[in-house]
């Protein structure tokens, strides 16, 4: 990029971590979908949307691209981490 986008490397790294977290936890959503836990999933996505929007409004003016990538990271974690714990709870409850 010849120095035109100085924050791009750091933003890419943060987004790569976000993608890795989402990828690591993604198999757990299959169990929740199989058990038809759609209200739980919709509630998580709605909450994550609100968290992402609030963080974008707060972080982007202060930190620009890096702030936006951290907002995405936190919003993705707000979806994937609860899915993991709910999946484990339901899986061990069934056995």
């Amino acid at each position: 990029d010849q120095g035109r986008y100085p924050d791009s490397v750091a933003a890419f790294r943060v987004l790569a971590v976000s993608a890795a977290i989402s990828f690591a936890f993604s198999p757990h959503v299959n169990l929740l979908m199989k058990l038809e836990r759609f209200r739980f999933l919709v509630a998580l996505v709605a909450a994550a949307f609100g968290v992402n929007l609030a963080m974008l409004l707060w972080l982007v003016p202060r930190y620009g691209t890096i702030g936006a990538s951290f907002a995405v990271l936190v919003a993705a974690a707000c979806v994937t981490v609860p899915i993991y714990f709910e999946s484990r709870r339901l899986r061990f409850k069934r056995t």
Side-chain angles (χ1 to χ4, degrees):
D1 69 358
Q2 300 173 348
R4 285 182 275 180
Y5 308 104
D7 292 340
S8 64
V9 173
F12 177 79
R13 289 179 180 159
V14 173
L15 292 173
V17 170
S18 175
I21 291 171
S22 295
F23 182 73
F25 289 113
S26 66
H28 296 278
V29 77
N30 292 329
L31 176 64
L32 297 182
M33 291 181 72
K34 180 181 181 288
L35 297 175
E36 299 180 355
R37 299 292 308 240
F38 302 122
R39 285 187 182 159
F40 177 77
L41 293 171
V42 169
L44 282 180
V45 170
F49 176 75
V51 167
N52 192 25
L53 186 60
M55 289 190 73
L56 285 171
L57 291 171
W58 179 55
L59 292 175
V60 170
R62 290 169 179 78
Y63 303 106
T65 307
I66 304 297
S69 58
F70 271 107
V72 169
L73 173 67
V74 171
C78 286
V79 172
T80 55
V81 173
I83 285 174
Y84 170 75
F85 285 115
E86 182 69 4
S87 169
R88 295 210 17 112
R89 184 184 72 79
L90 291 172
R91 191 178 85 190
F92 289 121
K93 182 177 163 182
R94 297 177 77 208
T95 58

